[in-house]
Amino acid sequence: MRVLGIETSCDETGVALYDSERGLLADALFSQIDLHRIYGGVVPELASRDHVKRLVPLMREVFERAGLQPGEVDGVAYTAGPGLVGALLVGGACARALAFAWDVPALGVHHMEGHLLAPMLEEAPPQFPFVALLVSGGHTQLVRVDGIGEYQLLGESLDDAAGEAFDKTAKLMGLPYPGGPEIARLAESGTPGAFVFPRPMTDRPGLEFSFSGLKTSVLNAWQQCSSAGEVSAQVQADLALGFETAVVETLTIKCRRALKQTGLKRLVIAGGVSANQRLRSSLEKMTAGLKGEVFYARPAFCTDNGAMIAYAGCQRLLAGQQDVSGIEARARWPMDQLPPLQLKA
């Protein structure tokens, strides 16, 4: 089965073609970072309008790179949520219109399921079951995964997601949007131990997260340095390293607990923050100590992209699932509401 995937949940327009027998045929992505940077964050109305502008050229590019004519697909998958409703509607309307014109089924895909399954696009994908750490700007969750659609939520953030904490911390330090990569870049020249921030909720049992207090600790340190006139480039780098280290160690501790609690040896990390090299190194060391394995997607497929939507949609379309009503667009959508995948006999 050949599937066109469309991703428009936030500020990236992603399009891809995936073939169940040949794998990923082509993908293209346009990021709106420059558009939103002057505002310090994503402006939903601007994001929706830009998706309208980018979708058709990206689809033409993808079909051309795959050596196919528009319409040579067996289904269309699109991100139905969670995300910005206006942005989701753009992708959903485009997908449903194309599916109608080409007389193929359409299916709305869960954005976080797409992230979770993105490592399946790699040459050595993980086998079920595994524990997944979904860590992005909007989500920080630990999930037991026994198969596609077979998800058990183990723990999640009670306030800010890890990626959101990265962006907000960068903003209070005067760094440009998006903040996560800027924090990571600065941290490379930081002095280890110069600032030590709390590892929230690691001193109690459980798999929940909380990053708002950590963000406040960094703010207090920043204000103290500012009032003393000490915010040099080195101090800024030291703060970035202290914050990043606290987030990475917190996530690593919780992942270790989740693996021990479930008795599983395989860990998958997915979402935008999974591209962080310090986090990857820490989780690789932790899983090796447990004689386990960690899996993640290539950096280009950690952030929002059409390939993950095409792949996830293909698996569900193969099982006979498809939209039966209108366009799906859900700002919030718990992943445990998804039906398990049941392949046709």
Side-chain angles (χ1 to χ4, degrees):
M1 172 176 277
R2 189 182 298 143
V3 175
L4 173 68
I6 296 174
E7 155 61 23
T8 61
S9 65
C10 192
D11 61 337
E12 269 110 10
T13 313
V15 178
L17 283 165
Y18 180 84
D19 189 296
S20 58
E21 296 183 359
R22 298 168 55 197
L24 184 65
L25 303 179
D27 70 287
L29 182 74
F30 182 85
S31 175
Q32 301 176 6
I33 286 177
D34 291 340
L35 175 64
H36 299 286
R37 179 173 283 136
I38 60 174
Y39 302 101
V42 177
V43 181
E45 176 65 18
L46 295 180
S48 301
R49 291 176 179 272
D50 204 64
H51 288 313
V52 173
K53 184 192 305 183
R54 307 296 176 181
L55 270 174
V56 171
L58 286 175
M59 283 189 287
R60 286 175 176 160
E61 177 184 342
V62 165
F63 275 104
E64 182 177 348
R65 287 169 54 189
L68 299 171
Q69 292 298 314
E72 291 186 332
V73 297
D74 303 299
V76 182
Y78 64 95
T79 303
L84 303 175
V85 171
L88 293 170
L89 286 170
V90 173
C94 180
R96 290 304 298 268
L98 291 173
F100 179 79
W102 296 337
D103 193 25
V104 296
L107 178 67
V109 172
H110 194 290
H111 180 71
M112 294 311 295
E113 181 172 70
H115 275 303
L116 187 151
L117 297 177
M120 300 296 185
L121 292 163
E122 302 303 318
E123 291 185 2
Q127 300 297 310
F128 300 112
F130 55 77
V131 170
L133 172 66
L134 301 177
V135 58
S136 66
H139 299 80
T140 299
Q141 298 177 328
L142 279 166
V143 181
R144 178 186 172 120
V145 181
D146 290 296
I148 297 177
E150 300 177 55
Y151 309 130
Q152 177 190 354
L153 180 64
L154 302 175
E156 62 184 337
S157 179
L158 303 177
D159 41 57
D160 290 353
E164 182 181 8
F166 265 99
D167 287 340
K168 288 182 176 178
T169 298
K171 189 171 184 178
L172 72 87
M173 292 172 62
L175 301 176
Y177 172 85
E182 292 296 324
I183 290 283
R185 179 187 60 78
L186 265 182
E188 289 299 315
S189 55
T191 304
F195 290 92
V196 179
F197 298 112
R199 278 59 170 160
M201 300 188 73
T202 58
D203 58 349
R204 67 190 78 175
L207 297 173
E208 282 73 34
F209 302 90
S210 173
F211 293 104
S212 61
L214 172 59
K215 181 186 63 182
T216 301
S217 296
V218 179
L219 174 61
N220 291 337
W222 174 262
Q223 291 176 335
Q224 289 174 4
C225 292
S226 298
S227 63
E230 299 175 358
V231 187
S232 63
Q234 186 59 52
V235 168
Q236 197 175 42
D238 293 344
L239 282 165
L241 177 59
F243 169 78
E244 184 183 53
T245 301
V247 172
V248 167
E249 290 189 2
T250 298
L251 293 173
T252 301
I253 290 169
K254 297 288 184 170
C255 286
R256 178 191 293 271
R257 286 184 188 175
L259 290 172
K260 289 186 174 182
Q261 178 177 307
T262 60
L264 298 177
K265 296 294 185 181
R266 285 184 289 271
L267 174 69
V268 166
I269 56 171
V273 182
S274 69
N276 183 280
Q277 292 301 314
R278 198 176 302 275
L279 176 60
R280 290 189 177 197
S281 297
S282 178
L283 292 177
E284 286 171 357
K285 182 178 179 180
M286 182 272 291
T287 52
L290 296 177
K291 296 183 179 179
E293 298 176 277
V294 62
F295 299 84
Y296 38 75
R298 71 197 76 170
F301 291 163
C302 290
T303 54
D304 296 349
N305 63 86
M308 69 182 191
I309 302 304
Y311 177 83
C314 183
Q315 306 314 303
R316 290 189 173 275
L317 286 165
L318 280 170
Q321 298 179 18
Q322 61 178 298
D323 290 350
V324 294
S325 56
I327 301 166
E328 293 284 339
R330 307 186 191 186
R332 298 183 182 275
W333 190 4
M335 202 164 64
D336 57 11
Q337 292 181 359
L338 292 173
L341 184 69
Q342 296 179 345
L343 290 172
K344 292 180 177 179

